Each structure stands twice: as structure tokens, then as C-alpha cells.
Amino acid sequence: MKIDRRVPKGIIMLMTCAVSGAAGAGQDAEWGMYRLWYRQPAAKWVEALPVGNGRLGAMVFGGTQAERIQLNEDSVWAGEKDLNRDRVGAHQHLAEARRLIFEGQYVAGQALMQREFMGPRLVRGHQTLGDLHLDFGKGGEASEYRRELDLDTGIAATQYKQGGATVTREVFASHPYQVLVVRIAADKPGRVSFTLKLDRPANFQAKAESGGRLVMTGQAQQGGGHHKGARFEAELRVLAEGGEVAQDKNALTVRAADAVTVLLAGATDYWGKDPSKVCAKHLAAAAKKTYADLRAAHVEDHRSLFRRVHLDLGGADRSKQPTDDRLDAVRKGGTDAQLVSILFQYGRYLLIGSSRPGDLPANLQGIWNEHIKAPWNCDYHTNINVQMNYWPAEVCNLSELHEPFLTFVDGLRPNGRKTARDVYGCRGWVVHHTTDAWQWTSPIGRCQYAMWPAGAGWCARHLWEHYLYTGDEQFLARKAWPVMKGAAEFFFDWLVPDPKTGKLVSGPTTSPENRFRTPDGKRANLTMGPAMDQQIAWDLLTACLEAAKILGKDDKFTTEAAATLAKLDGPKIGSDGRLLEWAEELPEAEPGHRHMSHLYAVHPGRQITLRGTPKLAAAARKSLEYRLAHGGGHTGWSRAWIINFWARFEQADKAHENVVMLLRKSMYPNMFDAHPPFQIDGNFGAAAGIAEMLLQSHASGPNGEREVHLLPALPKAWATGHVRGLRARGVCGVDIAWKDGTLSEARLLPMVGKTYRLRTPCPVDVIPGHRGRVELRRIEPTLVEFRAGDRSYTLRPQ
Ligand code: FUC
């Protein structure tokens, strides 16, 4: 089929009229609800409010006497570039390890793998850039205090009254100007006086310089200086209106100004540039602008992304209640649908703040990290976490923010190829359970998490998905294809036939990061053919064959992919009806384990679908229920994944129950997701899960027709509401409005010439825009098929 590749331009602009609420689309009033606010300053870091421009970020505490603004830059990484912990030639032990495991000698097989394959563990990570301290002195009692983060403007504001004046501070991270901007103003002249300092918990020098400047330099390092990494610089400039600025050794003092703008730049040499020159350039450009100009440019840029999606799940308007009180009320058993809308938009906000094209991808904490030695190194875990960070990117209409991760995955290939060749004796490329900004790919540490070379397959699916949402064939051919092909080639060589069945299995490998009990009462992690690896291989090879068709490729590679796919083992159902996590029925050592790896085929994969493979779907659901009955979902990201599973099972109220559980059990006062401690994946996974409840597009018809499913899991708690601006696979913009629990109107902006299947909660008429015609094929009362013309389509219940 030849597809017209014209993608409707201005999809966002068009996608407004169908379901706009009373306030009307694009008007400020309907965006006002997306705010976090508090009546007191942050006492802890997880109460502070995040701003970010993808690269540069800050956590704003909002103190009245002493303000702490904790600073981040995404490339402040300890560690050397060329780390290679590959155990060259380890593959000579593979045959023996496989024999042991095939024979059921799990412990012996794992011991061999541990001894011969694992490199030494690594402790080095992303680090804080430092802190900006503003000391305002005692200054009398502060009253009418309010601190807020407006998700729609990307501005963190603090306001209070003191000594008869109203003091206002605003903080934002400007993407257009690449600086952090702090504005301190009062409504009476000459009332702004304070001292500024920059510091850091370790490895820095700071000094004041002429012209109202403070400069802090240093080098990120860890392990007693063993892992020396990026050299960094933070530089600020104080622009006072009225009053005077005095300079001390390492501090600046502002006296009696009317208002002050502080511009702060930050950079490292990670990208090979002199951080000092980068900071000087950014400061010089920003200093030419007025505060009002900087602010306006920032708001415009931020909204160009943020305002693509509007979500209103109904519920009482509780915006007059502080966010921490609202969270408390939910913890105590209350409901707050509006807070769920905020949680969704917060996920989008945090992606805008931590992942702009050209920067590093969002790490375990996005970019917000106050540590020198952060939990899990604040790195890029590739056995779910970094992927979960990007689950909302496409569906939530932030496709270009996927780019840092896609480029990062591409960049893993040179090291990944070396590891594949030297450690495994295989073609293609690999990455294991984790990596960092320096993109190492070796298996290191313990087998239970690290003996898992399937990370590349999981990462590669993101490039394929980016194509599915954008229809960008150049991207598919140039960027996605080599990544996907290399990840598949590794599987060609890595998979081996199970001597009992002849089916191809992956291994020895872990089902991240779970353990089972061996028949002789011991515990082990490694098997041959755990469900997740098999499902990743299926997903990847299937995507490769679909991509090959689009790109017109039919060669040795596609033949090998098809042959491998045909012989893949799994998925399997156990004697109790659950989907098996390992190739054999082995009891879990921890039945409520946070990873639900064997359900990859349900989400994010698509090997198991409700209508396509109903028996497997029922077994997968049983597995999920079993995990939950044994305490599953106790960490934020695990809970977020569960929302996505229930959405795919179209169990609306169960999905919703887990959204509520996330709010109840895994949210800090600033709505950062708790692992604990803070880990941002749960924020992103929750946003994706909420979208998944409203719109799905992973299934397809018999000839590959993309199935767009509206409101697959709408819970009773969200009886009336709307979403505007979501995206479905197959390059389709979607607005949906619903009333009293069912669809009231929807609008699609599909790709011209493409055939879609439309699944709806009730039978609908499909009305083409500007007097066009549409030929509908009604397959079921609630499933229609049509070929898209160059127009939008309105859907109304019959
Ligand atoms: C995975 C999880 C852990 C943690 C870590 C960063 O390996 O198993 O719970 O989230 O990543």
C-alpha cells in the first residue's frame, strides 16, 4: 500500500474545537488548575519545587529568611569516559553454563556465570551542580505566605508580606536563553536586600568577581577521586534595579534595591566545550534582555509544549486547597480527580523540564538531584526505569522530547558492539541492566540484576515507537533501523535451542531482578528462556520485519529474523493458569516482586492483547493479580506499571484504584514519586498510564490496520471530562470528551491515506470535516474501519 506521507500540519491548532470546555480552548482560565501550592516553605528537598529547561534545573525551597535554590545541570557526571569492564572471552564458558542450567543445576550455572562474566561493580553517578543561597536576614515576621509551581508557565513563585511590603520571588529555567532566572521584587522601593553565595557539598571553588558576578568551578568526582568526571562551572550575574551591589571574597551583597534579577548559567565539558565560555555566552545573551522579556520568552516556549494537551477528569475544584493538604485528604481515603489531572500534567511538565533535544536523557531523577553520591548513581537503568521515563513522550504529544533518549540509545552501539563480540562472541550490540552518561555496556556486579543482555532490545523498541507515532520514514531508515537491526542480530547469535523442545531460548539470564526457589530448596536468578527475554525478542523481531516491509528490505537479515521469530519459545501458561515468568514452573522467592517482567508482552509490548490472544491475556491477568495479592506495587514505578497493565486489560476501576494507591503511598509533598527515595520513573509511568486509560493504539487489524481505541478504561470516578491533544500510533491526533461515563464527542486528525480501525465504547457516527465523504466499514457495532482523507473527523454517539 502506498501511503500519502503528508502529515497534517498544525495538528495542535486544529484539535481544539471538538471538546473544549466552557472556558474555551487556549484561554488561560482552564489552565489555572495545574498548580502545586503550599502555605509554608519547603523543609525538605522533596517539598521543594522543580523547574528545568531540559539541561539546567533547580529545586526552589521558598524560605523567607534563607532561600535555598538547589542547582542541577544534566551532564555533571563523575567517571571516566572509556570504561570497559568486559570480561573478554567469557563466552568460552557459555556452553557449560547453559548445560548446567538446562539440567536444572541453577546454582552451579549461576556461580559459573558470576565468576566468568561479571565485571566489578561501579559507584559513580550524576551529581548536584550545587546550591544558590540567598540570605535575606531576619527582616521581621512574614505573613500571607504562598509558594507555588504553575505547571502552565513553568514558574516557581514565592510571595509573602514582610514589614509592610509584599515580596515576590519568581524562578524559572529558560530554554530559549539557557539560564536560570531568579527575580526578587517588592512592591515598595528600596526593600530588596540580601546576600548571595554559591556552594556545593564537595569538590568546588567559589569566588565573587567584579560586575556583580559569582563563579563556582570544580570537577565531579567520586570514589576518593578515583572516578574523575566532568569539569563544571556555575556562574551568576546580579542585575539590580536601584540600590547597590557589593562584592566580598565569595559572596555578593545587594542593598536597598527595588528589584533584582539573578541570571545563572551552568555547563560542563561533557560535550567537549569549555564550560566557562559556555556560561559567559549564555549570560551575555540573557543580560541584554529585560526580566519581562526573559519571562515572556520562557512562558511562550514552555507553553508551546505544555499546552498541546489539556486534561480535565472532572471532580470538585479543590484548587483553593494547598497540595500537601490535598494529598493528605487522598491518603485518608478521599478522592480528588482534579489532583489526578495535575499528576498527569506534572508528568508532562517534568519531561519538558528534563529532556529537551540535544541534551542528555532524563535520568533516575530527571535532572533534579541534590547528591554527590545519589541512590543508584542517578543513572540510566535499562531494565525498566529509563524506558518508563519515556512512556508518556509520544502519546502525550511531546514526541520531540523523546530525542535525547533515542540519540542516547544510538550512542550505546559502539560500546555495545564491543561487549557483544568480546563477552558473548555475538554480532549486534547489547546493554545490560544499567549504564550511565559515559555509555558503558559491560555486565558488572551481581548476576541477579546484571546478567541480562536484553536491555538493547527494550531500548530499541523506543525508536520503532517514535516512527509509529510520527510516520517519519527518514528517521526509521537512518536512525531506528541500525539500532533495531543490531539489537536483533545479537539475538540471532545469542538464542540457543532448548535441547528438550528445539525452541530458541535466551540465557543464561535473569528475569529482572527476581529470584526463584530451586527444586532443592536454594535460590537462584538465572535460567534459560525467561519470559521477558523471549517477549523482548518477539517484540523486536516483529518490529524489524514490519519496518523492513516499510523500507522495502528483503534480504539475509529479514530471512534470519523471520526464521528466528518462528522458532522462539513462549509465552507459556503454568498449571495454575498464570503466565510463566521462567521457562519452567519455578516458585518465586518473592511473589510480590516489584518487577513484573513476564508481563512485558502486555505492556509496553503487544504480543499479548485482550482480543488477539485472549487465553494468554487471561493468564497474564492472573499473574498480575497474584503479584498484587502478595504485596506487589510497593514502589512508585512498580505501581505506575500496574496502572498501565490494568488499562491494557481494560479494567478501568482497577487501573484507577492503582492511580489512587500511587497518590496515597508513593507521593512526596512536591508530588515527586517515591521509590523510596525519590525516583522520577513513577511520575512518568503514571502520566503514561492515565493516557493509556483514555486512549490505546497498540493493537492492529488482520492487515496491520492501526486500531485506535477511545476510552478503553474509563473509571466510574472520572464520569465526565475531556482530553485534548493526545496522539495515537499511526500518526493520529485525538480529542475525546465524555459524559456520564461514556463518549459524548471525539475528534480525530489522522494521517492522510491510512486505514484505521476505530474502537469506541458505544456505536458512533463518523463525520468528516469540511463536507468530505467517508466510507465506513462497520465490523462490529463499536468497531469501524475507514481510510483517512485530508481532513479531521468528528465522532458522535449514534
Ligand atoms: C531497578 C529496580 C530498583 C530501582 C533501580 C534504579 O533495577 O529494580 O528497584 O528502581 O532500578
Side-chain angles (χ1 to χ4, degrees):
M1 180 179 68
K2 186 95 185 102
I3 286 175
D4 183 337
R5 287 200 280 109
R6 275 177 302 152
V7 177
K9 290 261 177 337
I11 189 159
I12 319 307
M13 299 289 91
L14 272 167
M15 302 292 299
T16 51
C17 45
V19 293
S20 55
Q27 293 183 9
D28 288 355
E30 64 166 7
W31 298 93
M33 68 163 148
Y34 304 132
R35 269 168 221 260
L36 314 187
W37 77 273
Y38 307 83
R39 290 207 176 98
Q40 68 290 329
K44 295 187 193 128
W45 189 84
V46 286
E47 294 171 17
L49 295 170
V51 296
N53 69 4
R55 185 180 69 84
L56 206 55
M59 294 291 284
V60 186
F61 282 64
T64 54
Q65 264 186 39
E67 167 69 294
R68 175 184 173 202
I69 300 177
Q70 187 263 316
L71 308 167
N72 282 113
E73 204 275 352
D74 68 352
S75 61
V76 181
W77 272 85
E80 56 282 19
K81 199 172 186 164
D82 297 311
L83 180 108
N84 182 328
R85 296 195 166 181
D86 290 344
R87 302 277 302 272
V88 178
H91 51 88
Q92 62 181 295
H93 301 280
L94 258 185
E96 175 62 2
R98 284 173 172 161
R99 183 189 67 78
L100 288 167
I101 293 178
F102 277 133
E103 285 175 6
Q105 298 190 54
Y106 302 105
V107 175
Q110 182 158 338
L112 180 60
M113 294 301 289
Q114 182 66 47
R115 201 168 57 238
E116 302 299 343
F117 278 74
M118 295 295 114
R121 237 183 109 217
L122 193 60
V123 183
R124 61 175 205 188
H126 178 253
Q127 299 187 339
T128 178
L129 176 61
D131 290 285
L132 166 61
H133 300 280
L134 309 180
D135 185 352
F136 294 94
K138 283 232 164 59
E141 186 89 357
S143 62
E144 293 176 46
Y145 181 91
R146 180 182 166 108
R147 171 172 73 96
E148 73 162 35
L149 177 64
D150 183 344
L151 304 184
D152 175 47
T153 57
I155 297 176
T158 309
Q159 200 179 64
Y160 52 91
K161 284 200 168 149
Q162 198 174 42
T166 300
V167 180
T168 310
R169 295 205 290 271
E170 289 189 329
V171 183
F172 60 87
S174 165
H175 187 260
Y177 289 93
Q178 290 297 315
V179 287
L180 193 75
V181 182
V182 182
R183 172 81 171 174
I184 303 118
D187 64 350
K188 300 235 163 77
R191 294 292 283 271
V192 177
S193 300
F194 63 103
T195 304
L196 299 91
K197 263 190 196 162
L198 283 172
D199 67 11
R200 190 177 192 264
N203 312 115
F204 76 101
Q205 307 84 45
K207 61 176 192 302
E209 292 192 355
S210 59
R213 288 165 45 204
L214 274 181
V215 181
M216 176 166 69
T217 54
Q219 184 171 22
Q221 47 191 283
Q222 236 164 295
H226 187 62
H227 296 300
K228 286 209 164 61
R231 291 179 187 281
F232 60 81
E233 172 152 339
E235 181 175 341
L236 70 74
R237 198 176 284 183
V238 172
L239 305 169
E241 290 160 32
E244 60 178 46
V245 182
Q247 175 190 336
D248 195 359
K249 214 169 102 217
N250 60 357
L252 296 172
T253 302
V254 176
R255 285 193 202 96
D258 302 329
V260 172
T261 302
V262 180
L263 304 175
L264 186 140
T268 76
D269 63 358
Y270 177 86
W271 301 102
K273 288 193 180 149
D274 176 350
S276 172
K277 285 194 182 139
V278 175
C279 287
K281 191 179 110 198
H282 291 154
L283 285 174
K288 288 198 189 111
K289 301 286 162 184
T290 64
Y291 176 71
D293 287 344
L294 291 170
R295 192 185 192 281
H298 162 71
V299 171
E300 189 189 338
D301 167 76
H302 177 79
R303 282 185 174 156
S304 71
L305 295 162
F306 187 77
R307 285 197 172 185
R308 290 178 184 178
V309 179
H310 193 272
L311 174 70
D312 187 348
L313 297 172
D317 179 10
R318 295 191 211 283
S319 51
K320 298 233 152 44
Q321 244 175 289
T323 307
D324 40 358
D325 287 359
R326 293 175 79 167
L327 280 166
D328 270 348
V330 174
R331 261 179 227 122
K332 287 181 188 137
T335 56
D336 192 341
Q338 194 184 51
L339 195 62
V340 179
S341 300
I342 295 172
L343 176 70
F344 169 85
Q345 290 289 40
Y346 197 35
R348 297 183 63 250
Y349 172 88
L350 292 172
L351 199 65
I352 296 169
S354 63
S355 187
R356 294 291 193 108
D359 300 336
L360 282 167
N363 63 39
L364 283 170
Q365 301 191 178
I367 49 170
W368 300 280
N369 166 26
E370 66 168 339
H371 303 282
I372 295 292
K373 186 169 180 291
W376 286 281
N377 298 333
C378 202
D379 63 11
Y380 301 109
H381 266 59
T382 41
N383 66 3
I384 185 155
N385 315 84
V386 68
Q387 290 96 335
M388 184 179 280
N389 284 1
Y390 287 90
W391 286 354
E394 302 289 344
V395 63
C396 293
N397 213 336
L398 296 170
S399 182
E400 63 269 61
L401 306 191
H402 212 165
E403 188 275 342
F405 180 51
L406 306 178
T407 299
F408 183 82
V409 172
D410 189 26
L412 287 169
R413 285 194 299 140
N415 283 341
R417 269 197 301 265
K418 262 192 243 157
T419 304
R421 183 192 63 204
D422 294 345
V423 178
Y424 297 106
C426 294
R427 289 173 287 171
W429 70 280
V430 282
V431 65
H432 295 76
H433 75 295
T434 195
T435 183
D436 67 18
W438 312 105
Q439 303 193 301
W440 54 274
T441 52
S442 313
I444 62 165
R446 311 289 312 162
C447 276
Q448 88 184 63
Y449 47 83
M451 190 48 240
W452 187 71
W458 193 341
C459 288
R461 91 180 310 283
H462 279 255
L463 288 100
W464 172 238
E465 289 271 308
H466 183 68
Y467 164 75
L468 290 179
Y469 279 94
T470 58
D472 183 346
E473 278 183 28
Q474 269 198 22
F475 171 86
L476 181 66
R478 290 197 191 146
K479 199 148 163 176
W481 181 253
V483 171
M484 293 164 69
K485 186 172 178 239
E489 280 167 343
F490 174 76
F491 278 111
F492 295 167
D493 292 349
W494 169 247
L495 296 166
V496 288
D498 181 327
K500 284 188 228 98
T501 61
K503 294 263 190 184
L504 292 177
V505 290
S506 164
T509 139
T510 181
S511 178
E513 306 172 8
N514 208 355
R515 281 188 304 168
F516 54 87
R517 287 190 272 130
T518 63
D520 55 353
K522 304 217 170 80
R523 311 215 155 185
N525 308 89
L526 303 189
T527 59
M528 295 302 297
M532 181 181 243
D533 282 30
Q534 301 300 119
Q535 295 170 6
I536 288 175
W538 183 95
D539 193 61
L540 174 66
L541 297 174
T542 306
C544 282
L545 291 171
E546 288 170 355
K549 238 189 221 158
I550 296 160
L551 299 175
K553 289 185 195 287
D554 184 5
D555 52 21
K556 232 176 103 206
F557 171 81
T558 50
T559 309
E560 204 167 357
T564 307
L565 188 61
K567 279 196 272 169
L568 260 191
D569 190 41
K572 292 178 189 165
I573 301 175
S575 56
D576 64 356
R578 280 188 293 150
L579 200 72
L580 287 191
E581 177 157 3
W582 296 283
E584 305 101 304
E585 271 194 88
L586 293 163
E588 303 86 326
E590 201 190 312
H593 199 268
R594 61 194 179 287
H595 286 263
M596 283 150 288
S597 306
H598 48 323
L599 304 191
Y600 181 91
V602 176
H603 184 280
R606 47 151 176 162
Q607 188 179 6
I608 299 180
T609 58
L610 266 190
R611 293 173 190 82
T613 57
K615 278 196 191 129
L616 289 170
R621 181 175 167 170
K622 234 178 164 185
S623 290
L624 176 59
E625 283 165 346
Y626 186 85
R627 272 286 212 276
L628 286 172
H630 291 82
H634 50 278
T635 70
W637 66 253
S638 180
R639 181 72 64 195
W641 201 1
I642 293 166
I643 300 167
N644 287 275
F645 289 136
W646 283 127
R648 288 265 166 113
F649 291 137
E650 299 176 20
Q651 293 300 311
D653 292 328
K654 288 197 187 294
H656 180 253
E657 205 178 288
N658 284 282
V659 173
V660 174
M661 291 295 271
L662 185 81
L663 285 173
R664 244 174 229 167
K665 295 196 160 178
S666 298
M667 280 285 97
Y668 288 110
N670 65 356
M671 291 187 74
F672 268 179
D673 163 76
H675 186 268
F678 161 53
Q679 218 169 271
I680 205 163
D681 38 22
N683 285 103
F684 292 132
I690 292 162
E692 200 71 24
M693 292 166 74
L694 303 172
L695 173 69
Q696 292 178 16
S697 59
H698 59 287
S700 44
N703 298 311
E705 307 86 354
R706 179 59 53 193
E707 184 174 310
V708 177
H709 190 170
L710 308 186
L711 303 180
L714 183 70
K716 287 189 206 82
W718 305 342
T720 297
H722 71 250
V723 63
R724 285 198 311 266
L726 291 184
R727 307 299 313 272
R729 292 174 189 80
V731 203
C732 182
V734 181
D735 297 348
I736 315 168
W738 60 93
K739 203 165 173 281
D740 304 325
T742 195
L743 182 83
S744 56
E745 187 172 294
R747 184 121 186 252
L748 302 185
L749 198 56
M751 188 173 177
V752 184
K754 219 175 163 110
T755 301
Y756 292 85
R757 288 183 159 209
L758 207 56
R759 195 177 285 282
T760 46
C762 54
V764 293
D765 287 325
V766 178
I767 305 146
H770 51 86
R771 280 173 272 121
R773 284 165 49 81
V774 63
E775 263 175 51
L776 274 194
R777 194 161 80 80
R778 200 167 288 275
I779 302 163
E780 293 167 27
T782 56
L783 181 67
V784 293
E785 190 177 288
F786 72 103
R787 197 176 153 90
D790 186 10
R791 52 182 52 88
S792 65
Y793 296 83
T794 300
L795 273 49
R796 297 220 175 87
Q798 283 184 337

